[in-house]
Amino acid sequence: MSRVACLAAAAALGMYGASCFVTPMAPRTAPEAGAVSSAAFEQFPAAEVESQASAWSPLAIGAALGLLIAVAGGKPALAADLENGESIFNGNCTSCHAGGNNTIVAEKKLKKDALEKYLAGGYSVASIMTQVTNGKNSMPAFGEKLGPDDIDDVANYVYEQASKW
């Protein structure tokens, strides 16, 4: 789903949610004659009860607007954080794989066709994650150095970049 569609859906849901809690509703009707004594009912004049029922709550408006801003202004949640993946790649992988190349074994580049040919499991995020986690041949294992989320992010970054390098 595109970012604009997500924002529009979030705004619509936020406005609907705000209307459920904030907008004035129909005035309350007086209770049944036998349910409340007339002395208790006279404590609250009818005009005051009606104005309280239709008043907008500033606290509710602020909470609804704050929620709407948080949802609309927030970064959309992605399965993988490609920016983090790029950062991890630059910090750990570029010494051997700058620009998607391989300085140790020249034919085993990080380009799509080479990954399809040389990577166990072919060109997939799962195969790249396995290679990064366990290492192979001259490539060291990063399973103990990087966390699972970081490995997922760098694998997705390599997968996305493989067709661009």
Side-chain angles (χ1 to χ4, degrees):
M1 194 182 235
S2 72
R3 182 177 174 94
V4 174
C6 287
L7 288 176
L13 284 173
M15 295 302 287
Y16 176 74
S19 71
C20 290
F21 293 104
V22 180
T23 58
M25 299 296 169
R28 295 182 188 147
T29 59
E32 294 293 323
V36 178
S37 70
S38 62
F41 187 69
E42 289 176 5
Q43 279 183 324
F44 302 104
E48 186 178 323
V49 171
E50 188 174 320
S51 69
Q52 286 176 351
S54 64
W56 287 67
S57 169
L59 181 61
I61 293 172
L65 288 176
L67 178 64
L68 182 63
I69 290 170
V71 169
K75 190 175 181 180
L78 300 174
D81 185 354
L82 295 179
E83 291 176 6
N84 184 45
E86 181 180 16
S87 160
I88 292 167
F89 183 86
N90 289 335
N92 295 285
C93 309
T94 53
S95 58
C96 297
H97 295 290
N101 294 312
N102 189 330
T103 59
I104 308 298
V105 183
E107 66 272 2
K108 294 185 177 181
K109 299 178 182 191
L110 297 182
K111 299 181 184 197
K112 184 177 177 181
D113 57 335
L115 289 175
E116 288 171 344
K117 183 176 181 181
Y118 295 110
L119 189 62
Y123 177 63
S124 71
V125 173
S127 299
I128 297 168
M129 287 178 67
T130 301
Q131 180 84 14
V132 172
T133 303
N134 303 325
K136 188 175 179 184
N137 299 329
S138 58
M139 181 175 167
F142 287 91
E144 293 187 18
K145 183 177 181 183
L146 300 174
D149 290 340
D150 290 338
I151 291 173
D152 183 48
D153 292 345
V154 77
N156 277 284
Y157 173 74
V158 169
Y159 182 82
E160 292 294 319
Q161 287 296 113
S163 59
K164 299 175 186 174
W165 278 321

